[in-house]
């Protein structure tokens, strides 16, 4: 544990007080769950982040980073002070290449005293697999282990295009069903659906997509009265073709 104390040296003339700081020199991972990527498609890149804090009064150097799984690229994205102030701009420095080997073996990366480094992990799987591994970060004192887990699946999702909406106007709402299909070998859980157009409000009614089955997953509501204020078609009573 870290603590501070004072040594008192007594002489026949005076007392000399010597401040002493005790520390372990280890880095601490703030995200105990590590890098959980969940389900991801083959050759699809996902990004996860975790924080490492240096609680010591001196900088701690990282001398090597390794991972037993290929397809992981680890970078330092930013560094913040104890007050949360950004002290290093997001000038990303890659420490681990996708080949699983450290990039900067001879150029250690130092985490400043009392600061927190935000690490970014870009993960790409080149085949179907279930991974449970660790990213190992080596310092002078110890090794920090960050769990890594994901399941990669080969396949794709597709959503059928909507048919053109009938001519409509403010006060008349139109609806269409949304259909999708999956070529993954396992059921896929849908978590959300959204639209950037305020006139279109999609809703999920079925969150499980089974393999190889055309499935009705929800509906979309078209309401012309929800057009943005600056949209030329939002005013007036004329029809709007969707």
């Amino acid at each position: 544990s870290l603590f501070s104390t004072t040594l008192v040296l007594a002489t026949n003339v005076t007392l000399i007080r010597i401040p002493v700081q005790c520390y372990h020199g280890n880095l601490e991972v703030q995200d105990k769950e590590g890098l959980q990527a969940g389900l991801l498609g083959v050759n699809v890149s996902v990004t996860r982040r975790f924080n490492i804090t240096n609680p010591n009064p001196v900088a701690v150097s990282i001398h090597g980073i390794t991972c037993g799984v290929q397809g992981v690229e680890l970078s330092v994205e930013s560094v913040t002070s104890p007050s949360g102030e950004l002290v290093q701009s997001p000038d990303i420095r890659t420490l681990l290449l996708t080949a699983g080997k450290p990039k900067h073996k001879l150029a250690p990366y130092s985490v400043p005293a009392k600061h927190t480094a935000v690490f970014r992990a870009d993960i790409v799987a080149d085949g179907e697999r279930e991974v449970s591994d660790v990213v190992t970060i080596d310092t002078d004192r110890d090794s920090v282990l960050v769990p890594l887990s994901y399941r990669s699946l080969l396949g794709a999702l597709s959503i059928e295009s909507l048919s053109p909406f009938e001519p409509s106007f403010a006060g008349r709402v139109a609806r269409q069903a949304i259909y999708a299909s999956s070529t993954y070998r396992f059921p896929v859980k849908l978590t959300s659906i959204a639209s950037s157009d305020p006139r279109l409000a999609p809703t999920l009614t079925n969150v499980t997509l089974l393999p190889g089955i055309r499935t009705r997953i929800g509906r979309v509501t078209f309401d012309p009265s929800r057009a943005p204020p600056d949209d030329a078609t939002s005013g007036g009573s004329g029809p709007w073709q969707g």
Side-chain angles (χ1 to χ4, degrees), residues 77-158:
E77 192 170 54
S78 62
V79 176
T80 56
S81 68
S83 63
E85 180 184 359
L86 185 67
V87 296
Q88 177 180 311
S89 62
D91 180 17
I92 295 177
R93 175 179 177 181
T94 302
L95 299 178
L96 178 69
L97 297 177
T98 55
K101 298 179 180 179
K103 184 180 180 182
H104 296 288
K105 267 190 174 180
L106 302 179
Y109 180 82
S110 293
V111 181
K114 307 290 186 178
H115 285 57
T116 297
V118 179
F119 285 77
R120 165 178 169 169
D122 295 299
I123 305 167
V124 180
D126 59 1
E128 286 192 324
R129 60 176 59 94
E130 188 164 357
V131 170
S132 179
D133 210 287
V134 293
V135 174
T136 304
I137 301 175
D138 296 318
T139 69
D140 288 333
R141 294 281 302 175
D142 69 345
S143 295
V144 179
L145 304 181
V146 182
L148 166 67
S149 63
Y150 65 83
R151 185 178 186 181
S152 56
L153 301 176
L154 184 63
L157 298 178
S158 60

Side-chain angles (χ1 to χ4, degrees), residues 39-240:
L39 289 175
L40 63 147
V42 173
N43 295 324
V44 175
S45 177
V46 298
T47 299
R48 296 292 184 269
R49 292 173 176 83
F50 64 93
N51 299 342
I52 285 186
T53 297
N54 176 13
N56 303 281
V58 297
V60 174
S61 295
I62 295 173
H63 293 282
I65 301 179
T66 56
C67 180
V69 180
Q70 292 193 357
V72 179
E73 182 172 294
L74 198 65
S75 309
V76 176
E77 192 170 54
S78 62
V79 176
T80 56
S81 68
S83 63
E85 180 184 359
L86 185 67
V87 296
Q88 177 180 311
S89 62
D91 180 17
I92 295 177
R93 175 179 177 181
T94 302
L95 299 178
L96 178 69
L97 297 177
T98 55
K101 298 179 180 179
K103 184 180 180 182
H104 296 288
K105 267 190 174 180
L106 302 179
Y109 180 82
S110 293
V111 181
K114 307 290 186 178
H115 285 57
T116 297
V118 179
F119 285 77
R120 165 178 169 169
D122 295 299
I123 305 167
V124 180
D126 59 1
E128 286 192 324
R129 60 176 59 94
E130 188 164 357
V131 170
S132 179
D133 210 287
V134 293
V135 174
T136 304
I137 301 175
D138 296 318
T139 69
D140 288 333
R141 294 281 302 175
D142 69 345
S143 295
V144 179
L145 304 181
V146 182
L148 166 67
S149 63
Y150 65 83
R151 185 178 186 181
S152 56
L153 301 176
L154 184 63
L157 298 178
S158 60
I159 297 179
E160 294 184 8
S161 299
L162 297 175
S163 302
F165 285 96
E166 296 180 358
S168 188
F169 51 85
R172 180 181 179 182
V173 176
R175 295 180 177 85
Q176 282 194 44
I178 304 175
Y179 289 89
S181 58
S182 167
T183 61
Y184 289 107
R185 295 189 295 114
F186 303 94
V188 174
K189 183 178 180 181
L190 306 176
T191 58
S192 65
I193 187 170
S195 171
S196 58
D197 191 322
R199 291 165 292 202
L200 299 174
T203 304
L204 285 176
T205 58
N206 182 4
V207 297
T208 301
L209 199 56
L210 298 177
I213 300 177
R214 179 178 180 265
T215 304
R216 177 172 174 169
I217 61 171
R219 63 177 179 273
V220 59
T221 301
F222 171 60
D223 186 351
S225 67
R226 293 184 176 273
D230 57 348
D231 191 278
T233 64
S234 60
S237 57
W240 194 94

